[in-house]
C-alpha cells in the first residue's frame, strides 16, 4: 500500500475515501472537515482528514445528523484524527439516539401496517398523514363517519 502524503488534494481525498468531491466540499461547508488553500486557491487537506471523513461516513450510516457529528468533531483539535477510543466514546453516546430512531421507525412501521389495505388517506384520520391525530389510535378507517 502506498504511503499517504502529508497533504491531499480533493481528488486524492475523494479517491482514497470513496466519497465524491461534491460531498467533500459539502462537508467542508458544514464545518466537518477543513482545508488550507494554496496560492492558486486549491484545497489541500491534512492527511488526517481521511479519518475524519471515515468518522463522518460511519456516523451518517447509522443516521446521526450532521449537526451532532459536527458537535462531536468540535472536541478534536484541527488536524487531529478521531482515534478508535474517540469513535467508541461517540458511538456510545449515540446509542440512545439510535435506539430512539429504532423506536420511531417501529412505530411508523406499525402505523403503516395499520394503513395497509385501508387506503382512506384521510388528512384527519390517517396516522401516517396526521401522526398527532388521536382518532388514528383507534386504527385505520373513518371513525367519525362510523
Ligand atoms: S390509509 Fe392510513 S388510516 Fe387509512
Amino acid at each position: 500500500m502506498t504511503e499517504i502524503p502529508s497533504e491531499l488534494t480533493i481528488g486524492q481525498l475523494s479517491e482514497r475515501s470513496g466519497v465524491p468531491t461534491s460531498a467533500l466540499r459539502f462537508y467542508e461547508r458544514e464545518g466537518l472537515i477543513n482545508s488550507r488553500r494554496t496560492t492558486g486557491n486549491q484545497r489541500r487537506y491534512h492527511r488526517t482528514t481521511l479519518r475524519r471523513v471515515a468518522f463522518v461516513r460511519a456516523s451518517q450510516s447509522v443516521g446521526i445528523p450532521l449537526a451532532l457529528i459536527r458537535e462531536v468533531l468540535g472536541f478534536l483539535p484541527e488536524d487531529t484524527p478521531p482515534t478508535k477510543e474517540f469513535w467508541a466514546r461517540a458511538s456510545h453516546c449515540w446509542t440512545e439516539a439510535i435506539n430512539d430512531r429504532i423506536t420511531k421507525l417501529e412505530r411508523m412501521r406499525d402505523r403503516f401496517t395499520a394503513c395497509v389495505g385501508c387506503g382512506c388517506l384521510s388528512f384527519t384520520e390517517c396516522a401516517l398523514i396526521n401522526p398527532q391525530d388521536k382518532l388514528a389510535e383507534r386504527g385505520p378507517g373513518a371513525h367519525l363517519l362510523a
Side-chain angles (χ1 to χ4, degrees), residues 111-112 114-122 125-129 136 139-142:
R111 287 174 176 167
F112 177 71
C115 284
V116 170
C118 172
C120 72
L121 294 175
S122 166
E125 287 146 39
C126 177
L128 286 179
I129 301 168

Side-chain angles (χ1 to χ4, degrees), residues 80-101:
T80 302
T83 60
K84 187 176 174 182
E85 292 72 30
F86 185 83
W87 169 247
R89 274 203 314 271
S91 55
H92 179 75
C93 291
W94 291 337
T95 298
E96 191 177 327
I98 291 167
N99 286 339
D100 285 350
R101 283 176 56 85

Side-chain angles (χ1 to χ4, degrees), residues 57-77:
R57 294 303 257 199
S59 305
Q60 281 188 300
S61 74
V62 290
I64 303 300
L66 286 183
L68 266 184
I69 299 170
R70 179 177 43 244
E71 189 181 313
V72 167
L73 281 174
F75 290 108
L76 282 177

